[in-house]
Amino acid sequence: MAGAGDVVAALAASGGRSTYRRLVAATSRRDVRAAVRARAVEPVGRGRYVLPGADTEIALALGNGGAVSYLTAARVHGWGVVRRPSVPHVTVAQHGHGRTSPRAVLHFADLTDAERDSGVTSPVRTVLDCARSLPFHEGLAVADSALRSGAVLREEIVDAAAAYRGAGARRARAVCHAADERAANAFESALRGHLLVAGVTGFVPQQTITGPGLLMVVDLADVDRRVALEADGYGVHGTRRAFAVDLARHDASRPSAG
């Protein structure tokens, strides 16, 4: 079992998923066979292995020879999304073969070696895929969160959108240009996105407001128009009490009638 343990350790060091080639390089063919027999690791697809209980979406992608993508990849990267996909999205590097899966929405595109090995599309590709395929406010929520996480740079996604040619290119460029890492969450990003679609500009995320006896940060503010907006809900605040406290804070920020 020591050999199987070495394979498990190597797989864990690779984020819980790896190719056969990399596992053999880190251990040996004999160890990998022993780990599979002991069910210490799980083969998914050709030459791909995961730890038992690994993310089922990534296991599905690896089993299809691809990588999770679009909103599914955004969630795997840990970014905020307006809504979760009802079915995993998987991109496979095979064109025009009519391959289908009842458990996933399949997309077809060339993948990098790193994407095939990890089972997840790169951060920049994920932002671009979401920006060009989702409604503007949803794509903006993903782009804002990706910037906030530090996984991508603004210049990277703007350049990627500018270079993209295909369906949704104009929307992708608009989303990436509007993306702002200062947005605190997907709910707030979506509100800003709806404003931009309506042609309302000038609102800055997480704006500090000061005044006599007042110091607060609001979700969105247009300082010139003296308008502040808050994107509130139980899901954002976590508890009813936290929500009530924030509503009281809003009341305190209103100018007095006198």
Side-chain angles (χ1 to χ4, degrees):
M1 289 296 294
D6 291 340
V7 176
V8 170
L11 198 53
S14 299
R17 51 193 180 270
S18 182
T19 63
Y20 176 77
R21 176 175 54 82
R22 290 188 176 183
L23 282 181
V24 168
T27 58
S28 70
R29 290 186 176 87
R30 180 178 179 180
D31 289 343
V32 173
R33 288 195 297 269
V36 171
R37 285 196 301 269
R39 297 185 179 179
V41 302
E42 181 181 347
V44 288
R46 185 175 181 180
R48 298 289 190 274
Y49 294 84
V50 299
L51 290 173
D55 191 309
T56 56
E57 294 173 338
I58 292 180
L60 174 64
L62 293 172
N64 279 276
V68 292
S69 54
Y70 293 78
L71 269 180
T72 306
R75 293 197 62 234
V76 170
H77 285 305
W79 304 337
V81 299
V82 174
R83 59 181 174 88
R84 297 182 178 184
S86 57
V87 180
H89 286 253
V90 174
T91 293
V92 294
Q94 297 181 21
H95 299 273
H97 295 296
R99 187 176 181 182
T100 61
S101 171
R103 296 188 297 160
V105 176
L106 293 185
H107 306 271
F108 300 91
D110 293 331
L111 295 170
T112 66
D113 290 341
E115 288 172 325
R116 283 193 296 269
D117 288 350
S118 67
V120 185
T121 52
S122 72
V124 171
R125 186 200 291 262
T126 301
V127 170
L128 187 60
D129 283 344
C130 291
R132 65 185 178 83
S133 66
L134 295 173
F136 182 88
H137 68 286
E138 294 188 33
L140 185 63
V142 172
D144 283 355
S145 186
L147 288 177
R148 188 167 62 247
S149 73
V152 300
L153 299 176
R154 178 178 175 79
E155 294 76 11
E156 289 181 305
I157 60 173
V158 168
D159 289 348
Y164 176 74
R165 299 292 181 270
R170 180 178 298 180
R171 184 188 306 164
R173 289 193 291 271
V175 167
C176 291
H177 276 285
D180 194 322
E181 68 276 7
R182 292 174 293 182
N185 54 63
F187 194 19
E188 176 189 311
S189 296
L191 174 58
R192 191 170 96 260
H194 283 301
L195 291 171
L196 292 172
V197 169
V200 180
T201 60
F203 280 91
V204 177
Q206 296 298 301
Q207 181 69 50
T208 300
I209 305 296
T210 60
L214 177 66
L215 175 61
M216 63 186 300
V217 178
V218 296
D219 290 343
L220 294 167
D222 185 326
V223 176
D224 293 335
R225 296 190 180 108
R226 298 177 63 83
V227 176
L229 300 176
E230 287 283 292
D232 285 330
Y234 294 131
V236 174
H237 292 83
T239 66
R240 184 180 294 273
R241 177 177 176 80
F243 185 49
V245 168
D246 222 17
L247 290 179
R249 181 175 67 91
H250 300 168
D251 290 341
S253 69
R254 295 173 181 172
S256 61

